[in-house]
Amino acid sequence: MKLLAFAATNNSQSINKQLVQYAASLVNADVEILDLNDFEMPIYSQDREQQGGIPEQAQTFYKKIGDADAVVISFAEHNGSYTAAYKNLFDWTSRINMKVYQDKPVVLMATSPGPGGAQSVLGAATGSAGFFAMDVKGSFSLPSFFDNFDVEKGQITNSEFTDKLSTIMAQLG
């Protein structure tokens, strides 16, 4: 199985990147972890699209999804919503095809330092998933990241959360 995984943020030190790396390690797969910094583009606008077409980065992102057997995303939450980096990449890619995720099995996750576990952005992502051809196999929120994740070992420390995430990840194949 080819698993594509990424944190929906351009923060290189993201706790969501740490979570998605851990989640990807729970399945027997050939894992590719993307860094959204590799997909930086001008802010989407119809004018830019008409003038220059769809940037190569969006086309590459769409192809990577197409080449994968499954996708895992961990959403960082900025002011209760998607990060600007993810939203821009998503907006450009949706201009190729609204079915951005191409009916791939997907696990959606989020974490935050606080007790909310970035559930606002996770709710938005799961609520709109069907419009963008995500076959959502499960969603997972890890609250209070630094209380429930060992950064040194790169793993969740709370067995209840470990069991829940392992069960969800097993749905990918």
Side-chain angles (χ1 to χ4, degrees):
M1 175 171 62
K2 289 176 65 176
L3 180 65
L4 184 67
F6 62 93
T9 178
N10 60 353
N11 177 353
S12 64
Q13 303 301 312
S14 170
I15 58 178
N16 281 279
K17 186 173 187 176
Q18 294 173 62
L19 179 60
V20 84
Q21 289 171 325
Y22 172 69
S25 77
L26 298 176
V27 295
N28 184 18
D30 176 18
V31 177
E32 180 178 7
I33 298 187
L34 298 182
D35 182 338
L36 290 198
N37 287 299
D38 296 334
F39 298 92
E40 193 168 311
M41 296 173 275
I43 294 174
Y44 175 77
S45 75
Q46 288 181 332
D47 293 338
R48 284 191 177 111
E49 182 181 358
Q50 288 172 355
Q51 291 168 0
I54 298 171
E56 182 180 326
Q57 296 94 323
Q59 295 174 37
T60 298
F61 182 70
Y62 184 74
K63 183 175 181 341
K64 285 189 177 290
I65 293 168
D67 290 345
D69 296 312
V71 181
V72 179
I73 308 166
S74 190
F75 290 94
E77 185 174 86
H78 287 190
N79 298 317
S81 191
Y82 300 110
T83 65
Y86 173 75
K87 183 69 168 79
N88 192 51
L89 175 58
F90 178 80
D91 288 346
W92 275 112
T93 305
S94 72
R95 299 300 293 166
I96 298 167
N97 184 340
M98 282 298 291
K99 296 182 178 187
V100 171
Y101 289 94
Q102 305 167 52
D103 296 313
K104 301 294 178 172
V106 178
V107 169
L108 302 176
M109 304 182 304
T111 190
S112 69
Q119 289 186 42
S120 292
V121 71
L122 186 58
T126 55
S128 66
F131 297 110
F132 307 108
M134 284 185 184
D135 178 12
V136 178
K137 297 300 183 183
S139 65
F140 175 79
S141 170
L142 182 66
S144 306
F145 179 82
F146 295 103
D147 294 336
N148 292 304
F149 195 93
D150 184 326
V151 175
E152 296 290 319
K153 293 181 180 177
Q155 64 188 31
I156 293 174
T157 56
N158 179 310
S159 62
E160 178 183 333
F161 291 127
T162 301
D163 293 346
K164 182 176 181 186
L165 182 57
S166 295
T167 299
I168 292 169
M169 293 300 293
Q171 301 302 309
L172 292 177

